[in-house]
Amino acid sequence: MNHAIELSVLSPMASVEYMIAAFGAVQQNGFATLTVPPFWVKKLHRDWPESTQAVLSTVIGYPLGYQRTETKQTETECALNDGAREIQVVMNTSAWFSNSNGWPKVEFAKLAKLIHQREAIFTVIIETDFFDEPNLIHALKTAADAGADYVQNTTGFFQKPFNLEKALCFKQLTPAQVGCKIWADGATNEDFTKLLEHGAERLCLPFRS
């Protein structure tokens, strides 16, 4: 199961010591990914073992995705230059629920091109609690059509209780051509097993020392 686990260290209270502890946990346990704020990518990349299969990831537009596309592009370029191998972009729900929701697809396509030119992974994070099912289906298709490699069901920023039924629904609605990540904070081992059995590729958890 460890190969499917992603650790995130996005707490505003996370110190450099906390980052290093999370880095150690990923290496020792064979986890798939460590996601950190852009500020920490360069430092962790300097110590990232070339032999490890784990991916150093960062998040752009956290936590609400409200930044201009140009800002997200600049942050993405900096993160890739600093050594990030995965870019997780928070969807701008405010743009989505405006009169025209075509702009998020344009933004995703621009970022997908930039990220894939550097042979990095592109994940789109959608705060699914704000979406009814028809909008969620549309948003997932938009992310997939624009070139996302993965979609994720929440940033975890709002700290809502884990709901297995909603998580499985997200996986069911995810287009076949993209991978599915589930924020699984609060999930049980049984929940983990069910998620993986139903085809979730990644289980995302906050690091706690």
Side-chain angles (χ1 to χ4, degrees):
M1 185 182 296
N2 284 9
H3 69 280
I5 299 293
E6 295 194 1
L7 287 189
S8 291
V9 190
L10 299 175
S11 167
M13 298 298 292
S15 63
V16 62
E17 291 81 10
Y18 209 72
M19 295 291 167
I20 292 172
F23 172 79
V26 167
Q27 303 301 321
Q28 292 165 18
N29 293 286
F31 294 148
T33 305
L34 176 62
T35 302
V36 300
F39 178 81
W40 292 109
V41 170
K42 190 171 186 177
K43 177 174 178 54
L44 290 177
H45 176 67
R46 286 199 296 262
D47 298 324
W48 204 260
E50 291 186 7
S51 60
T52 186
Q53 294 185 347
V55 173
L56 178 59
S57 172
T58 194
V59 64
I60 301 298
Y62 184 85
L64 299 174
Y66 286 165
Q67 293 85 346
R68 290 172 56 92
T69 298
E70 294 85 353
T71 301
K72 288 180 177 177
Q73 288 176 297
T74 299
E75 290 184 345
T76 295
E77 289 176 351
C78 288
L80 292 168
N81 289 338
D82 285 345
R85 302 311 307 146
E86 177 177 354
I87 304 295
Q88 302 183 11
V89 177
V90 181
M91 182 179 191
N92 185 342
T93 54
S94 179
W96 181 265
F97 290 113
S98 298
N99 291 334
S100 170
N101 55 20
W103 185 250
K105 184 174 183 177
V106 173
E107 179 173 282
F108 295 158
K110 288 183 176 183
L111 293 170
K113 181 179 180 180
L114 176 61
I115 294 164
H116 290 154
Q117 282 177 340
R118 302 289 292 273
E119 299 183 347
I121 300 165
F122 176 33
T123 295
V124 170
I125 304 176
I126 303 172
E127 286 292 352
T128 54
D129 281 342
F130 300 132
F131 289 72
D132 58 19
E133 187 167 306
N135 259 297
L136 180 56
I137 291 171
H138 187 189
L140 287 167
K141 185 177 186 304
T142 296
D145 289 349
D149 300 299
Y150 289 94
V151 289
Q152 184 174 315
N153 63 331
T154 178
T155 61
F157 176 78
F158 295 99
Q159 299 184 338
K160 295 189 176 182
F162 177 77
N163 185 307
L164 179 61
E165 183 178 350
K166 287 184 178 180
L168 291 175
C169 179
F170 181 82
K171 168 54 190 171
Q172 183 179 11
L173 297 177
T174 298
Q177 69 265 38
V178 292
C180 177
K181 298 187 181 190
I182 299 295
W183 183 260
D185 188 22
T188 65
N189 286 336
E190 183 179 354
D191 293 334
F192 290 163
T193 299
K194 287 182 179 179
L195 289 167
L196 294 174
E197 286 177 348
H198 282 78
E201 284 86 0
R202 295 285 186 268
L203 306 177
C204 308
L205 299 167
F207 173 71
R208 295 187 176 98
S209 60

